[in-house]
């Protein structure tokens, strides 16, 4: 079945295939590396990972670009407060981001362009917009996009342009629909920018956030590409402004499909840094939740449905995974060394049902329903002795193929988080000093965080309980 995805541009599900029939070109707005990403951000990245893996399972190649926003209002403000050069400051958080992706089993995109490496592309794009009359220089040397010069402005977010105040401008990267105005493509240098500055034909300064994504997506994917994604907060102004800049400059359609995930919420409010109601991945891992459990928790609600974060839902993820691990273990022992045969009758319908569920706008609840139905009938077949070794091996192979899409089924190893590694190091030291009481205390602390210590010839190793 050909997939359909809900295209925010159309406010409807539409049948999807890549424009060239073979390779899906996809741009995913990445992290602003001013701090550790919170699990709300990771809801977006896990949704995009499911999308990517599913598209591959349909037989298409995927070229995915995820940018790193390493220069914007926030990164500059915080690096200055920390007294560090911008690049030094952001590197800590981009390194942490990649470690977090691994813990959540998020596949690597093909490209992770950093904004600061692409400023010449942004300058060239702004110049094109000035040359075509869509952008203008303001008195202070900034450059703004004139939204009344571009008739199609507002299609994605369906903004009401009736209240537009001619000439009104907004310099910040983030603003509300009510503040609809010409937005900054280039921000003239002022003292709050410190040494973060580039030369442009119209004056010194730095790019605005929106132009970064237009320039980097077109650099790696071409002027028109298949899918652009983000969280729903990106619809306005970020994606609206990206479309305006890109289509005004090229005269071509920008992205064909726009997919947005609903927010991870806490007590009904979006999880965000500014509200202070957030957990980073690190916070949760230090409380003993594994990356795999957190991934399951983020993945198992449909991406367009609000996801309320609770520890109960993480507990449910843990139980679901235990059930799946148990099933897989039973099948593996029933299979022994047998090679997979054809799927047994009780599993034959499952592959198509699983695919069709996800092909319906990534209906994960239906896909997990197919999985748990298989667990149910499979357990019965093993109980009654009906599952021959070759049958069981075939179902294990089916689970492996599903896991290339879900990324949660294989128990697998998990790298310990920094805090656990530090506790293990302290325990090693205590043991060397023959301070057994302290070593035991540290072992207990690690256990409370979900880690078992195994002493090997190469030193202590941490394993998930
Ligand atoms: P930022 O680093 O703020 O630019 O956000 C990175 C990505 O996370 C964007 O795609 C946002 O839309 C997304 N995002 C931010 N907060 C949440 C949330 N609470 N739930 C889901 N996605 C979010
Ligand atoms: Zn973006």
């Amino acid at each position: 079945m050909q997939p359909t995805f809900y295209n925010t541009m159309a406010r409807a599900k539409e049948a999807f295939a890549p424009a060239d029939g073979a390779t899906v070109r996809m741009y995913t707005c990445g992290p602003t590396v001013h701090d550790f990403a919170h699990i709300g951000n990771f809801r977006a990245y896990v949704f995009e990972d499911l999308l990517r893996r599913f598209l591959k399972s349909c037989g298409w190649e995927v070229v995915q670009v995820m940018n790193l926003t390493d220069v914007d209002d926030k990164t500059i403000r915080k690096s200055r407060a920390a007294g560090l050069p911008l690049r030094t400051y952001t590197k800590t958080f981009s390194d942490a981001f990649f470690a977090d992706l691994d813990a959540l089993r998020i596949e690597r995109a093909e490209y992770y362009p950093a904004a600061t490496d692409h400023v010449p592309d942004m300058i060239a794009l702004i110049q094109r917009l000035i040359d075509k009359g869509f952008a203008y220089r303001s008195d202070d040397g900034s450059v703004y996009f004139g939204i009344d010069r571009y008739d199609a402005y507002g299609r994605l977010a369906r903004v009401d342009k009736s209240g537009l105040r001619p000439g009104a401008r907004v310099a910040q990267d983030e603003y509300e629909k009510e503040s609809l105005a010409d937005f900054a493509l280039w921000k003239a240098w002022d003292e709050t920018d410190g040494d973060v500055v580039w030369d442009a034909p119209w004056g010194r300064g730095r790019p605005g956030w929106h132009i970064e994504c237009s320039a980097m997506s077109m650099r790696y994917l071409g002027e028109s590409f298949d899918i652009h994604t983000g969280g729903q907060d990106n619809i306005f102004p970020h994606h609206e402004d990206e479309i305006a800049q890109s289509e005004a400059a090229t005269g071509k359609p920008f992205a064909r499909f726009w997919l947005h995930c609903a927010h991870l919420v806490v007590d009904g409010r979006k999880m965000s840094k500014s509200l202070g109601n957030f957990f980073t991945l690190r916070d949760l891992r230090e409380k003993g939740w594994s990356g795999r459990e957190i991934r399951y928790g983020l993945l198992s609600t449909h991406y367009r449905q609000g996801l309320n974060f609770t520890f109960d839902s993480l507990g449910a993820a843990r139980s679901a995974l235990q059930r799946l691990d148990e099933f897989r273990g039973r099948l593996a022992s029933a299979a022994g060394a047998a090679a997979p045969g054809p799927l047994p009758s009780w599993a034959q319908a499952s592959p198509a049902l699983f695919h069709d569920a996800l092909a319906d706008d990534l209906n994960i609840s239906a896909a997990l329903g197919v999985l748990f139905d298989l667990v149910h009938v499979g357990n019965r077949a093993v109980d009654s002795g009906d599952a021959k070794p070759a049958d069981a091996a075939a179902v294990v192979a089916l689970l492996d193929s599903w896991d290339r899409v879900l990324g949660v089924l294989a128990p697998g190893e998990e790298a310990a988080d920094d805090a656990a590694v530090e506790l293990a190091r302290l325990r090693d030291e205590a043991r060397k000093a023959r301070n057994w009481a302290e070593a035991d205390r540290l072992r207990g602390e690690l256990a409370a965080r979900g880690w078992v210590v195994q002493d090997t010839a190469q030193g202590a190793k941490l394993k998930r309980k």
Side-chain angles (χ1 to χ4, degrees):
M1 192 167 98
Q2 187 184 5
T4 57
F5 298 129
Y6 185 89
N7 189 347
T8 305
M9 185 62 90
R11 302 290 193 277
K13 288 189 201 173
E14 293 183 336
F16 176 82
D20 72 0
T23 303
V24 181
R25 291 177 173 75
M26 161 161 123
Y27 188 84
T28 45
C29 283
T32 306
V33 281
H34 67 103
D35 207 335
F36 297 110
H38 58 69
I39 54 161
N41 302 127
F42 283 112
R43 175 177 206 203
Y45 308 136
V46 165
F47 140 64
E48 288 152 356
D49 185 54
L50 176 67
L51 176 63
R52 167 195 172 85
R53 287 162 172 264
F54 174 66
L55 291 166
K56 291 205 301 187
S57 80
C58 295
W60 294 312
E61 301 235 353
V62 173
V63 177
Q64 181 190 358
V65 178
M66 177 176 279
N67 67 296
L68 302 174
T69 301
D70 62 350
V71 52
D72 79 325
D73 299 351
K74 285 187 254 188
T75 43
I76 294 176
R77 188 167 12 93
K78 291 173 95 170
S79 66
R80 295 203 75 202
L84 291 172
L86 183 66
R87 280 232 165 199
T88 314
Y89 179 79
T90 56
K91 183 164 188 315
T92 306
F93 301 110
S94 49
D95 288 351
F97 174 68
F98 287 109
D100 288 355
L101 290 186
D102 290 344
L104 286 172
R105 304 183 180 193
I106 293 175
E107 281 187 1
R108 292 294 168 101
E110 281 60 33
Y111 298 97
Y112 289 99
T116 51
D117 291 332
H118 294 78
V119 177
D121 287 332
M122 299 164 202
I123 292 175
L125 185 57
I126 295 170
Q127 188 65 58
R128 261 168 107 177
L129 290 167
I130 295 175
D131 293 345
K132 286 190 151 189
F134 290 108
Y136 61 90
R137 184 183 187 278
S138 64
D139 291 344
D140 72 345
S142 295
V143 178
Y144 284 86
F145 187 96
I147 58 174
D148 58 346
R149 303 176 183 198
Y150 179 64
D151 286 344
Y153 189 84
R155 264 179 311 150
L156 181 73
R158 309 218 167 157
V159 294
D160 173 10
K161 289 192 280 189
S162 60
L164 191 61
R165 295 155 295 143
R169 289 179 206 140
V170 52
Q172 294 87 3
D173 289 329
E174 291 177 80
Y175 52 95
E176 301 299 321
K177 274 194 195 169
E178 293 67 45
S179 322
L180 196 63
D182 294 354
F183 60 89
L185 301 173
W186 186 262
K187 304 184 184 192
W189 182 88
D190 69 27
E191 52 285 352
T192 61
D193 291 338
D195 61 359
V196 179
V197 62
W198 286 267
D199 282 318
W202 49 83
R204 283 151 54 81
R206 61 179 172 100
W209 173 38
H210 316 302
I211 200 78
E212 296 182 5
C213 283
S214 287
M216 290 188 281
S217 57
M218 292 200 280
R219 150 75 56 187
Y220 292 92
L221 299 173
E223 293 181 343
S224 297
F225 53 92
D226 295 302
I227 303 182
H228 196 313
T229 70
Q232 67 184 21
D233 56 314
N234 285 158
I235 297 174
F236 188 88
H238 187 48
H239 290 166
E240 191 67 59
D241 291 353
E242 272 188 55
I243 295 170
Q245 299 159 156
S246 309
E247 297 194 352
T250 67
K252 295 181 192 153
F254 183 46
R256 299 168 51 229
F257 276 72
W258 291 86
L259 271 63
H260 294 100
C261 71
H263 287 146
L264 182 72
V265 296
V266 182
D267 297 329
R269 302 175 81 190
K270 175 189 169 200
M271 178 175 284
S272 69
K273 281 270 145 61
S274 52
L275 289 174
N277 60 349
F278 64 91
F279 288 104
T280 64
L281 187 65
R282 275 128 220 276
D283 295 335
L284 295 185
R285 293 184 74 207
E286 285 178 21
K287 288 179 190 295
W289 300 98
S290 70
R292 181 182 177 219
E293 289 163 343
I294 299 164
R295 178 183 174 91
Y296 191 100
L298 294 174
L299 189 79
S300 53
T301 296
H302 185 249
Y303 76 95
R304 284 195 293 115
Q305 209 176 313
L307 170 56
N308 195 24
F309 175 78
T310 62
F311 285 99
D312 282 350
S313 60
L314 283 180
R318 178 169 286 176
S319 316
L321 288 172
Q322 277 163 356
R323 179 133 191 263
L324 291 167
D325 287 352
E326 203 181 308
F327 177 57
R328 194 193 178 82
R330 294 189 81 198
L331 285 175
S333 34
L343 280 173
S345 59
W346 46 267
Q348 267 165 15
S350 304
L353 289 172
F354 183 83
H355 170 85
D356 290 354
L358 291 175
D360 178 13
D361 194 31
L362 298 181
N363 188 340
I364 189 71
S365 320
L368 292 176
V370 175
L371 171 63
F372 280 101
D373 284 348
L374 183 71
V375 172
H376 182 69
V377 293
N379 272 327
R380 276 212 319 239
V382 175
D383 288 342
S384 61
D386 283 348
K388 294 195 293 292
D391 293 349
V395 177
V396 171
L398 176 63
L399 292 179
D400 287 342
S401 76
W402 286 353
D403 201 35
R404 284 194 281 282
V405 181
L406 300 175
V408 290
L409 300 181
E413 296 278 311
E414 182 177 344
D417 56 277
D418 295 346
V421 170
E422 177 60 11
L423 288 170
R425 193 188 63 75
L426 293 173
R427 177 178 165 275
D428 270 347
E429 275 184 8
R431 280 163 57 91
K432 283 196 195 108
R434 302 187 160 272
N435 185 349
W436 308 119
E438 175 64 0
D440 280 352
R441 190 190 68 74
L442 288 162
R443 179 192 283 274
E445 196 165 322
L446 280 161
R449 291 161 182 251
W451 297 102
V452 181
V453 190
Q454 290 178 336
D455 292 305
T456 71
Q458 293 81 39
K461 288 239 152 57
L462 293 173
K463 286 212 164 247
R464 269 290 172 202
K465 268 208 286 199

